[in-house]
């Protein structure tokens, strides 16, 4: 068996799907995407497949990963690692189908039967989060996540802190103490504002504060972690085990959030999670993406003892034109019950992509995140 062909599909709302086909007609799916940079990732995937994988045995996943990563002199970063990630997911899907087993069985077998999931409330400029929280809690979710703020100045007013406190207070009041609330700082918050915000939010017991500073400023995380009792999470803009090595060795985080479509795929995510286990750090894979990325995450969650909870993007504020379940032949595979999702037991990634719908939706998806500006005209973090 060898790889004979591939296709890439840009589909709404902002996703990129990869279809790999082998000489015996087996198909594997992956999701290589950097949100807002889909055209660039397409070119990177084409380079990898044309230079390394067409005509090759798809079962040698580790060797292919090493060749794609180390075969070029320049390594790492969001574009290359996301391209590798989608190819890697598709290779694991193929291998599972070849052996008639879900991917987690090939990675050592289940460590759990289901994984807890959290539901997004509150968008980039969060509002009306109390009512949204109550609705999701009533629907059975026991964990929620919200953005803490819109754009912030490096040193902002007491009113901005008060606004953030009011939002999380409204959520806590709506759902009580039985529901966890993750608060995403989204890298929008400067070091001095992190200290102020974290202190103000502590009385409401967030599950974690996410990406309190930009990954370029990860050296500030140990001091931030020492200054608050709120667990510190980060990792969605970190792309390999070498990136995570630094924060783990610095005792800088309580929870890491590598993205299976940005951090080298299933192969690399499993290695990152195993590294974190040795440091008593939990894993909550980042996944505001489509069904292939979510299925890949859940396969790793299934066999990862330190997996804590799984992000998923159903009804997220970005999914205005299409949603996760739309691309599945059997949407019940991601049926959430009591705040959990069962581990799929189908071959490969455990999902069946509705290829006809993918082809119908295929087009030039021109999604880009907004460029925010402060009142003085300078660029703000989104």
């Amino acid at each position: 068996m060898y790889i004979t062909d591939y296709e890439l599909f840009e589909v709404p709302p902002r996703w990129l799907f990869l279809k790999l086909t082998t000489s015996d007609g087996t198909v594997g799916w992956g999701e290589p995407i950097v949100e807002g940079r889909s055209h660039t990732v397409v070119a990177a995937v084409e380079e990898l497949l044309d230079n390394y994988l067409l005509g090759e045995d798809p079962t040698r996943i580790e060797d292919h990963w090493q060749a794609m990563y180390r075969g070029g002199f320049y390594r790492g970063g969001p574009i290359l690692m996301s391209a590798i990630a989608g190819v890697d997911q598709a290779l694991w899907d193929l291998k599972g189908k070849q052996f008639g087993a879900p991917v987690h069985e090939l990675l050592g077998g289940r460590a759990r039967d289901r994984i807890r999931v959290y539901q997004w409330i509150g968008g980039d400029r969060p509002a009306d989060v109390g009512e949204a929280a109550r609705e999701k809690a009533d629907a059975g979710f026991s964990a929620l996540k919200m953005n803490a703020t819109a754009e912030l100045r490096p040193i902002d007013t007491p009113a901005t802190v008060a606004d953030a406190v009011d939002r999380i207070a409204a959520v806590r009041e709506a759902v009580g103490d039985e529901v966890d609330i993750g608060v995403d700082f989204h890298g929008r918050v400067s070091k001095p504002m992190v200290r102020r915000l974290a202190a103000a939010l502590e009385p409401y017991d967030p599950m974690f504060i996410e990406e309190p500073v930009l990954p370029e400023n990860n050296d500030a995380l140990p001091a931030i972690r020492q200054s608050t009792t709120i667990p510190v999470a980060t990792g969605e803009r970190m792309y390999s085990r070498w990136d995570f090595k630094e924060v783990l060795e610095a005792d800088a985080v309580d929870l890491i959030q590598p993205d299976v479509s940005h951090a080298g795929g299933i192969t690399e995510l499993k290695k990152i999670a195993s590294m974190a286990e040795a440091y008593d750090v939990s894993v909550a894979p980042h996944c505001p993406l489509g069904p292939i990325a979510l299925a890949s995450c859940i396969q790793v969650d299934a066999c990862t003892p330190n997996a804590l909870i799984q992000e998923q993007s159903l009804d997220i504020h970005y999914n205005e034109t299409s949603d996760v379940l739309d691309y599945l032949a059997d949407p019940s595979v991601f049926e959430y019950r009591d705040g959990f999702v069962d581990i799929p037991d189908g071959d490969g990634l455990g999902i069946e992509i509705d290829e006809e719908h993918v082809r119908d939706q295929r087009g030039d998806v021109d999604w880009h995140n907004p460029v925010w500006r402060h009142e003085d005209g300078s660029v703000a973090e989104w």
Side-chain angles (χ1 to χ4, degrees), residues 116 133 137 141-144 172 175-181 205:
R116 193 181 182 204
F141 290 98
S142 64
L144 310 170
R172 180 58 74 203
V175 301
D177 292 336
E178 298 300 317
V179 173
D180 282 317
I181 308 167
D205 290 325

Side-chain angles (χ1 to χ4, degrees), residues 88-89 92 103 107 260 264-270 296 300 349:
D88 181 83
Q89 293 166 17
W92 278 108
V103 168
L107 293 173
V260 75
I266 290 171
T267 298
E268 188 72 351
L269 178 57
K270 181 58 176 169
S296 299
V300 177
L349 295 179

Side-chain angles (χ1 to χ4, degrees), residues 160-172:
T160 61
V161 177
D163 286 345
V165 170
D166 288 346
R167 281 189 291 271
I168 192 170
V171 173
R172 180 58 74 203

